[in-house]
Tab-separated table of all heavy atoms in Angstrom:
chain	number	residue	atom	x	y	z
A	502	ARG	N	-19.087	16.723	71.067
A	502	ARG	CA	-19.708	16.036	72.210
A	502	ARG	C	-21.063	15.448	71.815
A	502	ARG	O	-21.372	14.308	72.159
A	502	ARG	CB	-19.865	17.017	73.368
A	502	ARG	CG	-20.449	16.381	74.610
A	502	ARG	CD	-20.430	17.323	75.772
A	502	ARG	NE	-19.031	17.456	76.188
A	502	ARG	CZ	-18.558	18.503	76.838
A	502	ARG	NH1	-19.337	19.512	77.115
A	502	ARG	NH2	-17.292	18.551	77.195
A	503	THR	N	-21.855	16.194	71.075
A	503	THR	CA	-23.151	15.691	70.614
A	503	THR	C	-22.951	14.539	69.639
A	503	THR	O	-23.688	13.544	69.681
A	503	THR	CB	-23.957	16.828	69.941
A	503	THR	OG1	-24.097	17.895	70.880
A	503	THR	CG2	-25.314	16.353	69.499
A	504	HIS	N	-21.961	14.639	68.784
A	504	HIS	CA	-21.654	13.578	67.834
A	504	HIS	C	-21.306	12.281	68.573
A	504	HIS	O	-21.759	11.191	68.186
A	504	HIS	CB	-20.498	14.019	66.945
A	504	HIS	CG	-20.269	13.151	65.776
A	504	HIS	ND1	-19.422	12.072	65.824
A	504	HIS	CD2	-20.773	13.171	64.520
A	504	HIS	CE1	-19.410	11.480	64.653
A	504	HIS	NE2	-20.211	12.126	63.839
A	505	ASP	N	-20.533	12.386	69.651
A	505	ASP	CA	-20.199	11.212	70.459
A	505	ASP	C	-21.444	10.596	71.086
A	505	ASP	O	-21.605	9.375	71.103
A	505	ASP	CB	-19.202	11.581	71.554
A	505	ASP	CG	-17.817	11.861	71.016
A	505	ASP	OD1	-17.559	11.602	69.823
A	505	ASP	OD2	-16.978	12.354	71.803
A	506	ARG	N	-22.316	11.422	71.615
A	506	ARG	CA	-23.554	10.912	72.233
A	506	ARG	C	-24.432	10.200	71.217
A	506	ARG	O	-24.986	9.139	71.497
A	506	ARG	CB	-24.335	12.058	72.867
A	506	ARG	CG	-23.749	12.541	74.148
A	506	ARG	CD	-24.682	13.523	74.830
A	506	ARG	NE	-23.976	14.207	75.884
A	506	ARG	CZ	-24.077	15.488	76.149
A	506	ARG	NH1	-24.870	16.248	75.419
A	506	ARG	NH2	-23.397	16.026	77.124
A	507	ILE	N	-24.568	10.787	70.052
A	507	ILE	CA	-25.378	10.155	69.000
A	507	ILE	C	-24.778	8.800	68.631
A	507	ILE	O	-25.508	7.815	68.466
A	507	ILE	CB	-25.481	11.077	67.769
A	507	ILE	CG1	-26.318	12.310	68.097
A	507	ILE	CG2	-26.078	10.333	66.577
A	507	ILE	CD1	-26.272	13.399	67.036
A	508	THR	N	-23.467	8.754	68.515
A	508	THR	CA	-22.798	7.494	68.186
A	508	THR	C	-23.078	6.437	69.242
A	508	THR	O	-23.446	5.299	68.918
A	508	THR	CB	-21.277	7.709	68.055
A	508	THR	OG1	-21.035	8.643	67.012
A	508	THR	CG2	-20.557	6.418	67.764
A	509	LEU	N	-22.937	6.794	70.514
A	509	LEU	CA	-23.137	5.821	71.586
A	509	LEU	C	-24.603	5.401	71.721
A	509	LEU	O	-24.891	4.234	72.001
A	509	LEU	CB	-22.606	6.382	72.905
A	509	LEU	CG	-21.090	6.594	72.933
A	509	LEU	CD1	-20.662	7.269	74.227
A	509	LEU	CD2	-20.361	5.278	72.742
A	510	TRP	N	-25.539	6.322	71.532
A	510	TRP	CA	-26.958	5.978	71.611
A	510	TRP	C	-27.405	5.140	70.417
A	510	TRP	O	-28.308	4.311	70.526
A	510	TRP	CB	-27.819	7.231	71.713
A	510	TRP	CG	-27.875	7.772	73.106
A	510	TRP	CD1	-27.137	8.807	73.600
A	510	TRP	CD2	-28.672	7.299	74.183
A	510	TRP	NE1	-27.430	9.000	74.922
A	510	TRP	CE2	-28.384	8.096	75.308
A	510	TRP	CE3	-29.607	6.278	74.312
A	510	TRP	CZ2	-28.979	7.898	76.537
A	510	TRP	CZ3	-30.212	6.092	75.545
A	510	TRP	CH2	-29.896	6.890	76.646
A	511	ALA	N	-26.792	5.331	69.266
A	511	ALA	CA	-27.164	4.574	68.068
A	511	ALA	C	-26.505	3.203	68.015
A	511	ALA	O	-26.938	2.342	67.237
A	511	ALA	CB	-26.792	5.370	66.815
A	512	LEU	N	-25.491	2.987	68.832
A	512	LEU	CA	-24.749	1.731	68.792
A	512	LEU	C	-25.623	0.494	69.001
A	512	LEU	O	-25.492	-0.481	68.238
A	512	LEU	CB	-23.609	1.774	69.805
A	512	LEU	CG	-22.617	0.620	69.747
A	512	LEU	CD1	-21.911	0.588	68.394
A	512	LEU	CD2	-21.603	0.749	70.871
A	513	PRO	N	-26.536	0.455	69.986
A	513	PRO	CA	-27.386	-0.736	70.133
A	513	PRO	C	-28.260	-0.989	68.899
A	513	PRO	O	-28.468	-2.139	68.498
A	513	PRO	CB	-28.249	-0.442	71.357
A	513	PRO	CG	-27.503	0.596	72.108
A	513	PRO	CD	-26.748	1.395	71.091
A	514	PHE	N	-28.779	0.058	68.300
A	514	PHE	CA	-29.598	-0.083	67.097
A	514	PHE	C	-28.769	-0.648	65.943
A	514	PHE	O	-29.208	-1.575	65.251
A	514	PHE	CB	-30.202	1.276	66.714
A	514	PHE	CG	-30.973	1.240	65.439
A	514	PHE	CD1	-32.220	0.657	65.380
A	514	PHE	CD2	-30.436	1.787	64.285
A	514	PHE	CE1	-32.936	0.613	64.196
A	514	PHE	CE2	-31.129	1.750	63.092
A	514	PHE	CZ	-32.386	1.162	63.055
Side-chain angles (χ1 to χ4, degrees):
R502 182 173 288 156
T503 303
H504 192 270
D505 288 350
R506 285 189 193 139
I507 292 169
T508 299
L509 294 175
W510 279 99
L512 189 62
F514 176 74

